[in-house]
Amino acid sequence: MSIQFKRALLLGTSAVVGLSCLPQSALAQTQLPAVEVTAPSPIVRRKPVPSRTAHTHVTRPAPNRNAAPVPVEAEPAVQAQQGELPIVTDQFATVTVVPNDEIRRSGASTLGDLLANKPGITGSGYAPGASSRPIIRGLDVNRVGIVENGIGSNGASDLGEDHFVPVDPFAANQVEVIRGPATLRYGSQSIGGVVSSSNNRIPDALPNCAVATPFQSYGLPAKAPAAGLAAPGCMNAEVRTSFSSVDRGVDGGILLDAGGGNVAVHADVYGRKAGDYNVPSYPYAAPGLAFNGRQPNSANQSAGASVGGSYFFTGGYIGAAITQNNTTYRIPGVEGAQVGTRIAGQQTKFTAKGEYRPDAAAVEAIRFWVGATNYKHNEIGLADASDLLSDGVRQTFTNKEQEGRLEVQMMPFNARFATITSAFGLQVNHQELTAPSPDDIGSPLNGLWDPNKNTRVAGYSFNEFKFTETTKAQIAGRIEHVELSGTTPSSIPNEFDLNADPGAIGPAVGRNLTFTPKSGSIGLIQDLPWYGLSASITAQYTERAPKPAELFSRGGHDATETFDIGNPNLGIETAKSVELGLRRAAGPFRFELTGYYTQYNGFIYRRLTGNTCGDGVCQAGLGLELNQAIYSQRDATFRGGEFQSQLDVAQIYGGTWGIETQADIVRATFSDGTNVPRIPPVRAGGGLFWRDTNWFARVNLLHAFAQNDIAEIAETPTSGYNLLKAEVSYKTLLDPRIYGAKEMTVGVVGNNLLNENIRNAVSYNKDNVLQPGLNVRAFASVKF
């Protein structure tokens, strides 16, 4: 066991033991709101609406089939204070929740940037501020699913680390990171976890403008809706904007929610623009290149809009939305700066969802999700760095994808030994991918891959057993049928034979491949009688079919500077996992401690061989512009742990000040003891916070240790760093008679305040790309 692993375990253990040092009165004095999550399980537990207090979170109750036809969600009169650590204790594996307030304070423009410093999560950081995909416990593109309102992101971010994720945090109300058995709901391609972003683009309740307005604060009568209906012509609006110093960036947008009768509508529009960001020092591994204090070729801009609506009826609703995302961003790095590599992408996405709770004895709810996307991006740059006229499209990616999911949740029934609740689901997905390259027309390697298709049909079942109020279990299973068609290399170099011909890539051969992966899990939650603790244990067996890029690739990918070679001999990847968790959500000390162990049989990964390629030719050693990468399969073991906590120490100046801590570690090795490439470093940190009803202030230092556990070929060590952050924000209700608005939030956030050189150990271009230097961001949002 490494010294770092011991340190992380010691930190978590000492914090848990520290519970015994707190008096019982202190442990009971703070009752925080339960965290409502929607993505982990198809079994939705309905809870009664609690009374409104300073720490109330209103959970939507089950619709009353005999009541008014429109279900309405009322916002709490007083919101929970900012900065409270959300801990989920009623799920069978760790769920990381990023609530709305934190998303707004973060200002992240990508999901990877938003989650990068959460325990057990980092971001790919290939193009900071523009392209960063979440990496969970060292697992990335082909094992981490990204969904928005229950439908996959359906872009091309899983086909290349330089590709953007077409799910922008701008409109998100909450982001959840799901691990463990709940990932079976979304598919074996999410074996490492699911990042779920939820927003109001398809309203699931009518807006309620009359409740939770500041009128009551000024002694005015509240206009509560009659008979459970929203006030006619009710509308809410919010305007958001921010400015950042490191890249001279600016962003802004507006969100509208309106409703009346049985209809609710939503619309939002946003835009952002940033220049090349400042870095603390010279970013490149090789000396002598042009440098002006900024990371060359790192500017970006993006815009998006969405409109949607829902119709409510007795027992349910149905809604749809259409969303457009557009972005243009540059790819930093040596070659990117020399030839001006940039990506211009767009996605048009249609989504629909609904829920119906019939008046039936056996069925509690029926839910569906449908999505269809049309995605395209061009990778643009100079073919010849010395010829400005050679600028043009070097590679194009397209993805046309359709997805549907149907779930039926049964009524709980008493089986004497337990109350059993079951849910069943059916999921269908069809995808068509292309990656043509105008540079290689007529070449046997025309683009990264020829057009290919894949279809997935799956069924799954979740069953929860409530033995007592304190003991619950879950059994879940999934079976998929996967059909893939495309062209693969007829042969590939033997990457384990140092004397093999690196250019021995056979011609393209058409293939039709089928796989039937099967997965299952079992879990237990036990509420412990001490200090409000909750313990969980889960065991999971998961099979994953290869994805198109792993099978069909056979060409250059300029943005990642790799020549990718798919492997037609790949089989199903199998993972056997165990996870243990201990959590506490109530009282002044809130924490979660998680440990996990996963054994992979046939772990699929992109292996850099140390050879290079160019113009369709590969050779041994260095010399050509692209690094040869062959998709390979070996047995591997992943193990690690995560810890985070928040301790309310005392009251001061009318608010609460306290201490927060965090730590995470993942260790990944192949069966021969060598290291799995691109694994995040050990991290540990903590800080101080102060909050009251309106104010939140925080200072936090996160230390990342040096990462020296690297692959044997084509991976370099990464130095450690200290990331110092500080923030202060103010949130208040306003009198609309005076200000025209009813709520305002303003704040300032400082990031990398030590202006340290930070290199992302998991990024392919880390040796030539520094993360942004010292940054001060000011933000504001106003609700009307």
Side-chain angles (χ1 to χ4, degrees), residues 303-514:
S306 181
V307 61
S310 296
Y311 176 79
F312 297 89
F313 51 88
T314 302
Y317 75 94
I318 183 171
I322 186 166
T323 302
Q324 179 72 30
N325 288 301
N326 299 296
T327 185
T328 300
Y329 58 95
R330 295 180 175 270
I331 302 297
V334 175
E335 183 180 4
Q338 290 174 341
V339 302
T341 305
R342 57 201 184 275
I343 288 180
Q346 61 183 21
Q347 183 195 63
T348 303
K349 183 175 184 179
F350 170 82
T351 53
K353 69 175 184 177
E355 178 176 332
Y356 176 56
R357 292 182 165 263
D359 189 5
V363 177
E364 182 172 1
I366 301 171
R367 307 181 188 94
F368 79 90
W369 297 260
V370 174
T373 62
N374 188 353
Y375 173 95
K376 177 181 179 180
H377 83 244
N378 290 323
E379 299 185 0
I380 307 168
L382 300 175
D384 183 349
S386 62
D387 182 5
L388 297 179
L389 297 179
S390 65
D391 190 56
V393 176
R394 306 271 74 83
Q395 182 81 66
T396 298
F397 284 78
T398 70
N399 179 18
K400 294 183 178 180
E401 192 163 356
Q402 304 84 42
E403 180 182 354
R405 192 167 79 251
L406 177 69
E407 292 179 352
V408 178
Q409 179 176 333
M410 310 304 292
M411 284 287 188
F413 72 93
N414 191 340
R416 294 189 179 183
F417 70 94
T419 299
I420 302 176
T421 305
S422 298
F424 306 93
L426 176 67
Q427 185 176 19
V428 179
N429 178 278
H430 177 73
Q431 181 184 49
E432 297 182 23
L433 295 168
T434 69
S437 173
D439 290 342
D440 296 327
I441 294 177
S443 166
L445 298 176
N446 180 20
L448 185 55
W449 55 66
D450 283 341
N452 60 80
K453 301 178 181 180
N454 68 87
T455 301
R456 302 171 187 272
V457 180
Y460 55 92
S461 173
F462 281 69
N463 303 276
E464 290 192 7
F465 301 80
K466 182 179 178 181
F467 299 106
T468 67
E469 291 297 329
T470 60
T471 306
K472 304 177 183 67
Q474 181 190 80
I475 298 176
R478 180 184 180 100
I479 184 169
E480 294 184 9
H481 181 69
V482 183
E483 296 182 354
L484 302 101
S485 62
T487 58
T488 68
S490 59
S491 62
I492 62 173
N494 183 346
E495 77 255 43
F496 300 108
D497 182 357
L498 297 179
N499 297 317
D501 178 8
I505 306 169
V509 175
R511 293 181 184 265
N512 294 296
L513 304 171
T514 61

Side-chain angles (χ1 to χ4, degrees), residues 110-118 120-127 131-136 140 161 678 680 683 721 759-764 771:
T110 70
L111 291 175
D113 291 342
L114 175 68
L115 298 166
N117 297 317
K118 295 294 182 182
I121 312 170
T122 188
S124 59
Y126 198 90
S131 173
S132 184
R133 183 183 170 99
I135 295 175
I136 302 175
D140 55 6
E161 287 74 6
R678 300 177 58 241
R683 300 181 300 183
Y721 60 83
R759 297 191 186 274
N760 189 348
V762 302
S763 177
Y764 276 100
Q771 300 297 295

Side-chain angles (χ1 to χ4, degrees), residues 209 213-214 235-236 732-736 740-744 783-784:
C209 305
T213 67
M235 185 176 74
N236 294 318
T732 185
L733 299 176
L734 300 172
D735 185 349
K742 61 185 180 182
E743 184 178 303
M744 177 186 69
K783 294 183 180 180
F784 300 88

Side-chain angles (χ1 to χ4, degrees), residues 741-758:
K742 61 185 180 182
E743 184 178 303
M744 177 186 69
T745 303
V746 295
V748 178
V749 179
N751 196 24
N752 193 11
L753 293 177
L754 300 178
N755 203 31
E756 288 221 356
N757 289 329
I758 297 177

